[in-house]
Amino acid sequence: MVQIEINSIHVYTVHTVVTRQLLAMRTRVFQSGNSQAVRIPKELQFEQLDIEYEIEREGVGVASPSENRIIITPVRLPLTNALELFAAFSDDFMSDGRPEQGTQERELL
C-alpha cells in the first residue's frame, strides 16, 4: 500500500496482483454430427453442467496455430430480473437504516 498526503487528504493506493493458475493438458478434436467436439479431461471439467457456456476464438488470422485459441467460459447471468428480486423485500425492509458499525482501529502499514 502506498500512502500519499495531498493538502491534508490521505490517499491510499492498494496494488493487487492477481495470478491465474494454468493447467494444460492434451486432447483431440473429433467430428460429432455436423459439429466438432472435444473431450475435456476430468481434471479440467466444469463444475456446473446446467448452465450455458460461451465459446470464442482468440487469434483469428494468426499464422501460428499455437497462438490460435478457443476459450470456453460460463455465461454470466444478466441483471434483467434484478428489480423483480428487489421486489421480494417487504416495504419496511431496512426502514430504520443500517445499525451503526463504529470505527475500526487498523494498523498502519
Side-chain angles (χ1 to χ4, degrees):
M1 181 183 327
V2 176
Q3 179 182 353
I4 304 170
E5 186 173 336
I6 304 173
N7 296 333
S8 298
I9 298 173
H10 296 278
V11 178
Y12 293 92
T13 305
V14 177
H15 299 278
T16 305
V17 178
V18 178
T19 60
R20 288 190 204 178
Q21 183 180 7
L22 177 63
L23 178 59
M25 304 181 91
R26 290 180 181 236
T27 189
R28 294 198 180 266
V29 175
F30 60 94
Q31 198 69 31
S32 177
N34 291 329
S35 300
Q36 287 184 336
V38 63
R39 286 192 177 85
I40 300 175
K42 184 176 182 178
E43 295 83 1
L44 299 175
Q45 288 181 357
F46 291 105
E47 293 177 12
Q48 290 183 285
L49 298 177
D50 59 342
I51 62 171
E52 289 185 335
Y53 290 88
E54 180 177 78
I55 185 168
E56 61 185 330
R57 182 182 295 272
E58 180 184 272
V60 176
V62 177
S64 171
S66 66
E67 295 179 24
N68 193 340
R69 295 176 172 85
I70 293 179
I71 302 166
I72 303 171
T73 54
V75 174
R76 297 187 189 271
L77 297 176
L79 297 176
T80 53
N81 66 340
L83 292 178
E84 294 172 20
L85 296 172
F86 287 123
F89 290 109
S90 64
D91 291 338
D92 64 343
F93 177 72
M94 293 199 59
S95 60
D96 297 330
R98 293 179 59 179
E100 182 60 40
Q101 299 293 318
T103 305
Q104 291 182 348
E105 294 294 325
R106 295 186 180 191
E107 179 181 327
L108 292 176
L109 297 177

